[in-house]
Each structure stands twice: as structure tokens, then as C-alpha cells.
């Protein structure tokens, strides 16, 4: 089922709804800072709701980073319904070679809690947040020999004592695993700033390529006709064989697009621009047979020409 996510592509953002499962953490090693912990959460029964009247299941479960948007919802309970926008991203997983391809949702935004209740605020301190998660999953982590680091768990206990209304979470003592006196916190603000900058630059580059591709297509009507004909042929084959084909690109793969553009002596760069132009409303209208509306002056000229 996770392949459905891959079929959505990574160029556009989509709206999803899911049921909250539980909080967790991922642990990884940094050469300069050692073992680091990052908060996560699992959601279940993930549906794409770009069309609210026609939701589609995309995966039975998915792990997400506990970003500020999700954390700001407060302490979630199993089954809480949440909604957010996200972009599909491909990554490699595997214990040794990381040779397995999987898909995830990144850059969540417009996060909402659809369940009608007010949730208590979570710690905004990284140390206390990881400690909260370790306490929430204390029995499971203990039985499975997962790290229960005293530094984090003590941090959550201190945070609880400072609250007028503590979270309904029992505080436990950490194990001897990595019982450090200090711990390096992740600099999420710097990481977020870099991610947002990279994303903005990527979107700007894609927009420039779309504009360049549209200019080429508008100057070459015969190329447009060939691409529409090819897309229609591939659309029919996709339906007949029940194979996935990207509607976003009007069913035209990179390889087949290069064959057509070579006929018009267009290079790799121009082909790449045209690839992005295939996603525009202008080309989709051509593909779906919608004619552009003529201005009143053009309509009058047409009537005049017919009368000649």
C-alpha cells in the first residue's frame, strides 16, 4: 500500500488525514556530537483528502517527525484525528546496504487536530520532550532494552514539577544506559531554517523551468499536438493494463518525452523544462481538449473571416 504514496510524486503538496498512534523517538549517531535523539510519532490509517468527498487510503501506518506543528497540538491520544499538508519523499532503508526504497511525508504544514477536544501542551524543551516519550513508553522500552536515558527522564520530571497542571504521565527513573551528566540538544531552529531555504530554492527553480517549458510549447504547436497524442495513447494503455501512470505529467515518462523532443532537436535542458510544463494547467487544458476562450475582438474577427 505504501507504493500509493510513491505514485503521488514529490512535486506537489497534498492534504492528509490520519489517526494518531503513539509517540516515539529515533536515535542516530553524529560524528561530532555522538548519539542523538529526535522525537517522532506514528499515525495510522493515512488517507489523502485532496478531494474531501473522495478520500483514499495511502498506507496503514506512517512514522513522522514530531515537528513543532504536531507538538503544538498538545498531548494527543490514540485515535485522535489529525489533518496536515505534506510532500511525498523517497528514501532508502535497510539494515546494511539500505537497498530498499520506501516513501515518507515531509515538510508538514497546516496541521490541525480534528478531534473536538482541548489537549494539554507538550514540553517545548527538547530534553523534556524526549524524556516524556521515554516515560510514556517506559514498560515497552524496558522490556525491549531500548534506551531509557536518565538525562532526558530527569529533565521531564523537572519540567512536570514546574507545571501548574502536569501531564498525566508517570515519571520513572532512567536506566544506566548512557547516564551522562550533560547532553547535546539538537538545534532544530537551524535545521528548519536550512530545510525551508532549500525548499524555497527548489520551488523557485521548478517555477522557472515551468515558465521556460511553457514558452517552448507555446512557440511549437506541432510539438504540443504530438505530446497530447502520446499522452492519450499512454493513458489508454495505463487503463487497459491497470498500471500506474502519473496523471500529473499526462502519463508521459522521461524516456518517451526525450524521444519526442529529439524529433524537434531539443536538448536535455529544454526537455527538462518541458517536463515541468506538462504539469501546468495550460498543458492539462490542451490534453483534456479544452479550448482557450477567445477575446471579443478575436471572436468578431472570426465571424468577419467566415463571412468572406
Amino acid at each position: 500500500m505504501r507504493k500509493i504514496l510513491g505514485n503521488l510524486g514529490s512535486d506537489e503538496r497534498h492534504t492528509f488525514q490520519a489517526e494518531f498512534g503513539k509517540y516515539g523517538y529515533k536515535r542516530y549517531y553524529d560524528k561530532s556530537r555522538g548519539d542523538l535523539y529526535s522525537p517522532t510519532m506514528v499515525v495510522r490509517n493515512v488517507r489523502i483528502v485532496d478531494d474531501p468527498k473522495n478520500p483514499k487510503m495511502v498506507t496503514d501506518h506512517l512514522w513522522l517527525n514530531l515537528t513543532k506543528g504536531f507538538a503544538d497540538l498538545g498531548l494527543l491520544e490514540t485515535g485522535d484525528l489529525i489533518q496536515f499538508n505534506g510532500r511525498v519523499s523517497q528514501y532508502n532503508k535497510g539494515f546494511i546496504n539500505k537497498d530498499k526504497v520506501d516513501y515518507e511525508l515531509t515538510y508538514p504544514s497546516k496541521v490541525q487536530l480534528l478531534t473536538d477536544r482541548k489537549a494539554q501542551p507538550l514540553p517545548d524543551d527538547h530534553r523534556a520532550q524526549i524524556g516524556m516519550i521515554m516515560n510514556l513508553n517506559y514498560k515497552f522500552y524496558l522490556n525491549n532494552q531500548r534506551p531509557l536515558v536518565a538525562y532526558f527522564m530527569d529533565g521531564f520530571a523537572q519540567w512536570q514539577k514546574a507545571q501548574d497542571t502536569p501531564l498525566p504521565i508517570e515519571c520513572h527513573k532512567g536506566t544506566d544506559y548512557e547516564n551522562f551528566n550533560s547532553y547535546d540538544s539538537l538545534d532544530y531552529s537551524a535545521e528548519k531554517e536550512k530545510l525551508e531555504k532549500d525548499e524555497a530554492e527548489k520551488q523557485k527553480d521548478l517555477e522557472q523551468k515551468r515558465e521556460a517549458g511553457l514558452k517552448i510549447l507555446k512557440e511549437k504547436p506541432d510539438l504540443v499536438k504530438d505530446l497530447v497524442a502520446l499522452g492519450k495513447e499512454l493513458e489508454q494503455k495505463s487503463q487497459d493494463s491497470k498500471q500506474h501512470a502519473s496523471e500529473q505529467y499526462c502519463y508521459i515518462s522521461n524516456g518517451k518525452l526525450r524521444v519526442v523532443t529529439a524529433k524537434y532537436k531539443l536538448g536535455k535542458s529544454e526537455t527538462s523544462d518541458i517536463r515541468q510544463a506538462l504539469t501546468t494547467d495550460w498543458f492539462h487544458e490542451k490534453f483534456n481538449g479544452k479550448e482557450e476562450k477567445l477575446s471579443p475582438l478575436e471572436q468578431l474577427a472570426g465571424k468577419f473571416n467566415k463571412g468572406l
Side-chain angles (χ1 to χ4, degrees):
M1 184 178 289
R2 191 71 64 86
K3 290 182 178 179
I4 298 176
L5 279 177
N7 293 342
L8 294 176
S10 60
D11 292 326
E12 294 186 353
R13 299 181 66 80
H14 302 277
T15 303
F16 300 90
Q17 289 182 0
E19 298 165 14
F20 175 76
K22 66 176 183 179
Y23 296 104
Y25 67 75
K26 58 184 177 183
R27 175 173 170 264
Y28 55 99
Y29 182 77
D30 181 88
K31 289 183 179 180
S32 61
R33 295 187 287 177
D35 289 302
L36 300 177
Y37 292 77
S38 181
T40 60
M41 57 185 276
V42 66
V43 292
R44 306 190 186 283
N45 300 321
V46 184
R47 301 173 293 279
I48 183 170
V49 292
D50 288 345
D51 179 2
K53 295 182 180 179
N54 186 30
K56 295 181 181 179
M57 184 77 72
V58 294
T59 182
D60 58 350
H61 78 281
L62 197 68
W63 281 97
L64 302 168
N65 290 325
L66 185 61
T67 61
K68 186 178 184 302
F70 289 124
D72 285 347
L73 297 179
L75 183 63
L76 299 177
E77 298 177 356
T78 301
D80 279 346
L81 184 62
I82 60 177
Q83 177 172 299
F84 59 95
N85 291 356
R87 190 186 303 278
V88 178
S89 177
Q90 178 179 307
Y91 70 99
N92 294 325
K93 68 177 184 178
F95 184 69
I96 298 177
N97 296 323
K98 294 187 179 296
D99 54 354
K100 295 181 180 179
V101 174
D102 206 349
Y103 301 92
E104 60 184 353
L105 297 178
T106 56
Y107 307 109
S109 62
K110 298 183 180 180
V111 180
Q112 303 176 56
L113 174 60
L114 300 183
T115 301
D116 187 16
R117 69 177 185 85
K118 188 174 182 180
Q120 285 184 255
L122 296 184
D124 54 9
D125 173 71
H126 175 256
R127 177 187 178 189
Q129 204 173 81
I130 295 295
M132 178 199 75
I133 292 170
M134 290 181 173
N135 277 290
L136 275 171
N137 300 296
Y138 179 76
K139 289 184 179 180
F140 175 77
Y141 289 169
L142 189 65
N143 292 336
N144 288 273
Q145 297 182 329
R146 292 282 300 276
L148 291 165
V149 184
Y151 171 79
F152 295 114
M153 299 182 75
D154 291 346
F156 176 66
Q158 294 169 14
W159 182 87
Q160 283 277 68
K161 289 179 181 179
Q163 304 307 304
D164 294 333
T165 306
L167 294 175
I169 301 172
E170 183 180 356
C171 291
H172 301 272
K173 289 185 177 181
T175 63
D176 291 334
Y177 191 98
E178 294 182 350
N179 192 9
F180 301 149
N181 293 324
S182 62
Y183 225 93
D184 228 355
S185 296
L186 290 174
D187 184 3
Y188 285 109
S189 59
E191 292 181 1
K192 180 182 178 182
E193 183 178 347
K194 183 179 184 303
L195 287 173
E196 290 178 346
K197 181 180 179 181
D198 291 346
E199 179 66 15
E201 290 178 352
K202 179 181 177 182
Q203 290 305 311
K204 182 179 179 181
D205 179 63
L206 286 176
E207 187 59 34
Q208 290 175 343
K209 293 177 77 65
R210 290 189 191 102
E211 290 298 323
L214 274 175
K215 183 178 180 182
I216 296 172
L217 292 180
K218 290 178 179 180
E219 292 174 350
K220 297 181 180 295
D222 289 342
L223 171 59
V224 174
K225 290 180 182 178
D226 286 348
L227 290 175
V228 169
L230 174 61
K232 290 294 183 182
E233 178 185 346
L234 296 173
E235 179 186 26
Q236 187 61 50
K237 288 182 179 179
S238 174
Q239 293 173 350
D240 292 343
S241 62
K242 295 182 179 180
Q243 293 179 349
H244 164 70
S246 174
E247 294 181 33
Q248 181 183 5
Y249 294 99
C250 294
Y251 307 93
I252 301 173
S253 66
N254 287 328
K256 293 186 181 298
L257 176 61
R258 283 194 291 270
V259 172
V260 177
T261 56
K263 174 183 173 182
Y264 291 85
K265 298 181 180 180
L266 297 171
K268 286 185 178 180
S269 177
E270 294 164 309
T271 300
S272 178
D273 293 342
I274 292 172
R275 174 71 171 169
Q276 294 307 317
L278 298 181
T279 67
T280 62
D281 292 340
W282 183 88
F283 186 78
H284 278 248
E285 288 178 359
K286 297 289 184 182
F287 184 79
N288 293 318
K290 296 180 181 178
E291 295 295 332
E292 293 182 358
K293 293 183 179 179
L294 299 177
S295 68
L297 185 61
E298 289 172 325
Q299 293 176 13
L300 182 62
K303 291 180 181 179
F304 176 76
N305 290 331
K306 287 181 180 178
L308 294 177

